[in-house]
Each structure stands twice: as structure tokens, then as C-alpha cells.
Amino acid sequence: MKKLLLMVLVCACSLMVSAQDLKSILTGVVKSAIGDKATTAESVIGTWNYSAPECRFESENFLAQAGGETVSARIESKMEPIYQKLGVEGSVFVFNEDGTYTLTLKKKSSNGTYVFDKEEKTLTMTNKLGLSMKAQVIVTGKTMYLLFKADKLMAALKVLTSVTSKNGSALDSLLGKYDGLLLGFELKKP
């Protein structure tokens, strides 16, 4: 009797969830579960080409309350033209075995060292001037997600690309709307 009741409950719940919502939920679960196991210091090494904007929130509770992947997708679609203006398309990250990295963005290169934290699943990149940026990293096969605190990423991109204050105001208005926003990149191995 308990099994039958449980089966009816599961069927009823699944009918309430649309196919798109279910896909979003499952995609998030797979990214988290597989990414955590696949993300190692060795999996980060290599050449990674920019593929698309990526957005997540520090709090998974926020995503559940705000409609999950829908909010992220909306922000990513707003980020795409901003990334285009900044020249992020065509950027390349190279992480070497010796703990050095090179970022090529808009024909400008920045290099330095990086440290992978296996417990936190983060990369801390430090450039030659000693400035550091910490990113959450998820590797799944030939895809890597690098996610930074939104304000820190945008400040760094503005400096690297010499963005004018006119373009910067669009960024600032987007950033001001969301607390705990992580922005970054979906990267692919060639």
C-alpha cells in the first residue's frame, strides 16, 4: 500500500513539473554531481576556448525560489551582448601543468600563476602584478565553467578591455539587481 501511494505521489508530482523545468532541474543536478567528481587539478589543464556566458547564484535556495534556470538563462542572454562589446568572444584560457596560465582577450594577453583548491573546487589566478581573482570551477568532459563574483569579474574585464563608462553603466545596472550573482564563462576544449 505504501509503495502504491508513493508511486501515485511521484506520478502526480512529475505531471506538475513541465518538461522544461524537469530538464533544467536534471541539468543542474548533473552539472553539480558530475562536475564535482570530474573537476580535478588535472582536468583543468589545457587550452579552453570561450563558448558562452555562464551565470549561477551562490545560494541554490535563491534559484529554487526565483524559478531556477530561467533566471540564469535570462541573465546569460543579457550578458551575451555585453560580452560581445567587451570582446570576450574568441578569448582563450590556457592552464599549464606547471601552475601558470595565459588569458588572451581582445588580442591582449594576461598571464600569471594559478592554484587549484580541490576541496573548494576553485581556481585562484594571480597575474604578474600580484592581483588575484578566485573562480569556482566545474569541469565536465570537454566543458569547463569558470564562475566569478559578478562585480569582481566585470571590474577585471573593464580594465582588460578598456571599457568606457558608457558601456560600464549597462553592466552596473545589471549587477545591482542580484545579490550572490556569479558570472563567468562556459569554455570548451578544441
Side-chain angles (χ1 to χ4, degrees), residues 82 85-86 154-155 157-158 161-176:
I82 293 171
K85 285 180 185 177
L86 293 172
M154 287 301 139
L157 287 174
K158 285 179 186 180
T161 60
S162 305
V163 173
T164 64
S165 60
K166 180 182 171 186
N167 290 337
S169 63
L171 295 174
D172 295 336
S173 67
L174 179 66
L175 296 179

Side-chain angles (χ1 to χ4, degrees), residues 70-82:
T70 306
V71 173
S72 292
R74 198 172 322 148
I75 292 171
E76 288 167 7
S77 70
K78 288 182 180 182
M79 288 307 302
E80 193 139 3
I82 293 171

Side-chain angles (χ1 to χ4, degrees), residues 42-49 139 141-144 187-190:
E42 293 78 25
S43 69
V44 170
I45 296 168
T47 300
W48 299 90
N49 298 317
V139 178
K142 291 189 172 202
T143 303
M144 178 193 292
L187 307 169
K188 301 273 187 187
K189 273 194 173 178

Side-chain angles (χ1 to χ4, degrees), residues 80-190:
E80 193 139 3
I82 293 171
Y83 277 8
Q84 286 175 351
K85 285 180 185 177
L86 293 172
V88 173
E89 287 185 355
S91 61
V92 178
F93 287 80
V94 179
F95 295 99
N96 300 305
E97 275 186 62
D98 65 358
T100 60
Y101 77 90
T102 302
L103 164 61
T104 304
L105 176 71
K106 238 181 154 178
K107 298 182 183 180
K108 294 180 183 179
S109 288
S110 171
N111 51 29
T113 60
Y114 73 92
V115 175
F116 176 76
D117 183 326
K118 68 180 179 181
E119 299 299 320
E120 296 285 323
K121 304 294 185 196
T122 59
L123 278 179
T124 302
M125 294 177 277
T126 306
N127 68 15
K128 288 187 174 185
L129 299 174
L131 302 173
S132 295
M133 283 194 68
K134 188 178 201 175
Q136 290 183 359
V137 61
I138 301 168
V139 178
T140 57
K142 291 189 172 202
T143 303
M144 178 193 292
Y145 302 95
L146 278 181
L147 297 155
F148 304 84
K149 291 190 182 278
D151 56 340
K152 302 234 185 250
L153 175 65
M154 287 301 139
L157 287 174
K158 285 179 186 180
V159 168
L160 279 173
T161 60
S162 305
V163 173
T164 64
S165 60
K166 180 182 171 186
N167 290 337
S169 63
L171 295 174
D172 295 336
S173 67
L174 179 66
L175 296 179
K177 292 181 182 179
Y178 304 100
D179 270 344
L181 179 62
L182 298 173
L183 290 178
F185 318 106
E186 177 183 301
L187 307 169
K188 301 273 187 187
K189 273 194 173 178

Side-chain angles (χ1 to χ4, degrees), residues 9-63:
L9 182 62
V10 168
C11 288
C13 287
S14 65
L15 290 175
M16 287 187 240
V17 177
S18 73
Q20 183 61 36
D21 288 341
L22 183 58
K23 180 183 175 206
S24 295
I25 291 167
L26 293 176
T27 300
V29 169
V30 168
K31 279 183 186 177
S32 295
I34 294 174
D36 274 0
K37 292 179 182 168
T39 304
T40 63
E42 293 78 25
S43 69
V44 170
I45 296 168
T47 300
W48 299 90
N49 298 317
Y50 171 81
S51 176
E54 183 67 15
C55 168
R56 298 196 185 184
F57 292 89
E58 288 179 306
S59 169
E60 293 299 322
N61 290 337
F62 177 82
L63 280 179

